[in-house]
Amino acid sequence: MLAETDPHIKGILPLVCVGKNEEFLAAIITPYHFASHGLRVDSPFGYSTPLFSKVLNEGGSQHMYTAHSIHADLLRSLSEHISDIRLHNAPDIWDVRAYSFLDWQIDTIHTHEILRTENNWEKIDQDLQTIIQQGEEKYSLHADVNKTWDDLFVKRTNHIHPIVLRKRLDWMRQTGTGRLFTLTDSNNLLVACTLAILSQPDGRAYLWGTTFPKAGSESNALPVLLWQTCINLLRDFQRVDLGTSPNIGVSQVKDKLGAKLLPTFITKFNKHNKEAPTPVSVNE
Amino acid sequence: MTLKIEVREISTENKEWHELVHSSRQNILFVDQRFLNIWTTKGTSNHLMLLGCYDESGCLVGGQAIIHRKFMGLRIQGSFNISYRCTPILAGHIRENSPEQYEILSALARVTRKKFPYLKVEFHPNLTDTRAYLNNGWHAEPQYAHTWDLRNVDNILQNMHRKKRSYVRKALETYEFNVERDKKIIDEFLRLYTETMAKFSWCPNENWSESFHHKANWLLDEKLLLPCTCRAKTGELISVALVILSPENRTAYGWLIGYDHAYASYEIPASLQYYSATILAANFDVLDLGDGPNANLFAYKDSLGTASHPFWVLTTKDTKKWIKVLDFLRDTRQSLQKLFRQRIHAFDS
């Protein structure tokens, strides 16, 4: 889908790491495009992340070196094929030593996750509960298709070309892998919207591109949008990833919703800008 | 409502600091006033900056202790071989990841950035929210502490890699392991440590040795140091591991280890660390063996069956460049000193 919808993507590079008995250990699938210095991976749509066999996670936080070595092999192989890489690792990837020891640049950005529990409402901060209750009288949530709202959403998401995003939205709707949730006021005007990317294999829904076409509506509309969307999604999914935001106000609303703060890592490698490893300093 | 925080430098004699530390979830020995005082006196050119965060009602709600040196008019942070150095601490009533916590950490991120040309801050593992630092232009990256759970000390040996386990078992039969609290052991340790660190082309100078004696002796006097030794059956000292004890959080921290390289290096350190775990298990819950800063050390600590626990390391922009420049200056100074000593020696003979 990524390659079909974006004319700049020239191909997909799948790398798989298998054991001696051909058993699956790890993989990474990255769409790439041509850049001035070679091939480039930079997908700003959802997580772009390595996958590991469950066998490698059996030790929990112990005996992690094997998984680390496989991760490092995968990254070495990826960097042999692609000269400029940017990955956004899923929150499950909490051990980034493979990147660190291979001198990749690591940036941290937080997301939030809500789990399906018996008492999701009780976990919400009381002040926010009041805002949501008042907001529910003013706003309505929709998941149906509306061309005007689709247009507004794709126009406001400025890090992906509107035509590309529009194609992706259509594709996801056709395949049941995405839904655009919109919040409207009493005049049926769009106040806020978010795209839910629905991932059946891991039982999670990922919110992406949350936006507020109506200026100044964040503080009242955001809690309603997130809460109503979560209620909707938690019927079918165990977890909802609320997405990253550089705005601390937005991020704190997610805290107050009772969502768990999770770090995610954007890891970058550039063959041409690679610095020599910093030597280990032993001094006092 | 936003909490307004004022950050002020405070004296180490300030009783409020003591109360803050004791109420805090980040209560570890390394932020204790007595520990900070010892680390910044005698034989060191270290200074201590103690920062207090006060709310609008004048209550101390957070703080940070930064040990540093002065170099050409700049405050320069050193590396001190202690865990979670410069961790911010928060009063016990500040809720985890709350807006209040955000304001306190933001204030510290802003103020410390102005006072130091570069800074590297290691968060206590229970500080998991780095947003305040990220939003103030810092860089956040996790490192991983390797720990043994001493509440299940019997499992430690079982969790080790098979080869490592057999080395440890063999060493426990071949050598004598003990806790030796006599102060002579500090001198003996220093001799072995110098030998170990020669592998990394580093030799403790007179200042370092004097300062180390001062710290280690104080820790011994306060019963905050566990010196574990490994000797040959003939009594010859092979290795010493120093473990710092933090009763506040029932955690012991592997500090330094030195060993005689004539003996097998793959069995001695692991055996000594295992031995120290068995001694500590009566009074401590966790033995923290520190991070594995490179793939080899990670592999070694992982083979011991330790659990990896992430903790955050926050750095200001250009920290790597500053460290490179300072390392270069330090290396140049050491080379000149070495050359000077050689010349003197040649002249004498």
Side-chain angles (χ1 to χ4, degrees), chain B residues 50-96:
Chain B
L50 213 53
L51 296 169
C53 302
Y54 292 86
D55 67 10
E56 284 154 311
S57 61
C59 282
L60 186 62
V61 289
Q64 191 173 15
I66 304 172
I67 299 174
H68 61 279
R69 289 183 223 184
K70 289 182 179 159
F71 179 72
M72 295 171 74
L74 296 171
R75 294 188 182 102
I76 301 294
Q77 186 186 28
S79 56
F80 297 102
N81 293 328
I82 56 170
S83 305
Y84 316 121
R85 62 185 170 143
C86 304
T87 181
I89 52 173
L90 301 163
H93 68 274
I94 302 295
R95 279 182 303 114
E96 197 179 346

Side-chain angles (χ1 to χ4, degrees), chain B residues 194-210:
Chain B
T194 304
E195 192 184 318
T196 303
M197 296 314 285
K199 266 175 53 171
F200 301 96
S201 311
W202 184 74
C203 176
N205 61 26
E206 226 170 84
N207 272 352
W208 191 95
S209 302
E210 188 191 350

Side-chain angles (χ1 to χ4, degrees), chain B residues 137-194:
Chain B
W138 291 58
H139 178 257
E141 203 172 311
Q143 283 183 12
Y144 304 83
H146 289 266
T147 63
W148 271 331
D149 184 349
L150 303 179
R151 289 165 298 189
N152 298 307
V153 74
D154 296 339
N155 288 347
I156 292 178
L157 209 51
Q158 290 309 314
N159 282 335
M160 280 186 199
H161 281 192
R162 195 171 51 82
K163 258 189 182 173
K164 192 70 73 187
R165 187 165 58 233
S166 75
Y167 290 147
V168 170
R169 281 194 173 133
K170 191 179 152 207
L172 290 172
E173 287 169 9
T174 313
Y175 306 108
E176 294 286 343
F177 292 87
N178 271 302
V179 175
E180 298 187 33
R181 291 200 169 88
D182 191 299
K183 284 191 176 167
K184 277 185 208 158
I185 204 65
I186 301 301
D187 294 323
E188 291 291 293
F189 167 80
L190 202 51
R191 178 179 60 79
L192 293 173
Y193 186 62
T194 304

